[in-house]
Amino acid sequence: MFHVELSYIIVSIINILVLFLFLKVFLFQRVAAVIEERQRTIESSLQDADLTKLEAYQLKQDYENDIKEAGNQAGIILKEAKERAEIEYVAILSEAKKEAVKTMEDTRKAIELEREKSVEMAKTEIAGVALLAASKVIGKNVDNDTNQQYLGDFLKEVGAAK
């Protein structure tokens, strides 16, 4: 039947202990070192990933702040441009009004001058016709100097009558 010898059991136990010591010295220590190195590499990678994530978040915040600041600056620039345009508009409008008033004044003066010239011409023509009529009534034509003197006197009387 089944027979167990104690010597086989002892040799088997010794073999198992020798195999265990051999594996422990040559295999387990090296595998443990590789596993430990792998764990350090993974931890380092995780720390690097966390740092990169933190840097990316900070860059995102900086970028968003820059965008907000650029928007604010654009608003300020636009506001300043509108204010300058309004000031320029008012200045141009004021200048145009001044020019219009000056043109109106110059035109009024020119019209007044033309009216005065027309009145003077009309007076001269009326006086000439009156002098011609008077000379026909009198029947004699006096010299040109006398005619001019009569004409001047007549114009003074007409001017004083106004």
Side-chain angles (χ1 to χ4, degrees), residues 72-100:
N72 291 340
Q73 287 179 352
I76 290 170
I77 290 170
L78 186 60
K79 182 180 176 186
E80 289 174 355
K82 283 182 182 179
E83 288 173 356
R84 283 192 306 262
E86 182 67 25
I87 290 169
E88 187 68 23
Y89 170 77
V90 168
I92 290 172
L93 190 60
S94 175
E95 186 64 30
K97 285 181 180 178
K98 287 178 185 177
E99 282 187 37

Side-chain angles (χ1 to χ4, degrees), residues 83-139:
E83 288 173 356
R84 283 192 306 262
E86 182 67 25
I87 290 169
E88 187 68 23
Y89 170 77
V90 168
I92 290 172
L93 190 60
S94 175
E95 186 64 30
K97 285 181 180 178
K98 287 178 185 177
E99 282 187 37
V101 167
K102 185 179 182 297
T103 302
M104 293 284 286
E105 186 63 27
D106 290 347
T107 303
R108 188 191 60 75
K109 286 179 182 179
I111 290 171
E112 184 63 29
L113 187 63
E114 278 297 317
R115 189 186 67 74
E116 288 175 5
K117 283 182 184 178
S118 296
V119 167
E120 278 300 313
M121 284 178 50
K123 285 180 183 180
T124 305
E125 285 184 27
I126 291 171
V129 169
L131 191 57
L132 184 62
S135 67
K136 289 205 182 221
V137 168
I138 295 177

Side-chain angles (χ1 to χ4, degrees), residues 13-83:
I13 290 175
I14 291 176
N15 279 335
I16 289 173
L17 286 177
V18 169
L19 181 62
F20 178 74
L21 287 176
F22 178 77
L23 289 176
K24 182 178 179 187
V25 169
F26 292 107
L27 182 66
F28 291 154
Q29 286 180 352
R30 289 183 183 179
V31 168
V34 169
I35 289 173
E36 188 176 311
E37 179 64 29
R38 185 73 100 146
Q39 188 173 4
R40 280 194 301 256
T41 303
I42 290 171
E43 287 174 1
S44 174
S45 294
L46 288 174
Q47 287 176 350
D48 289 345
D50 287 343
L51 278 174
T52 304
K53 183 179 176 183
L54 184 62
E55 288 174 2
Y57 180 75
Q58 185 63 39
L59 286 174
K60 179 184 172 193
Q61 291 295 352
D62 292 345
Y63 176 72
E64 288 174 353
N65 289 340
D66 289 346
I67 288 175
K68 285 180 184 177
E69 183 64 28
N72 291 340
Q73 287 179 352
I76 290 170
I77 290 170
L78 186 60
K79 182 180 176 186
E80 289 174 355
K82 283 182 182 179
E83 288 173 356

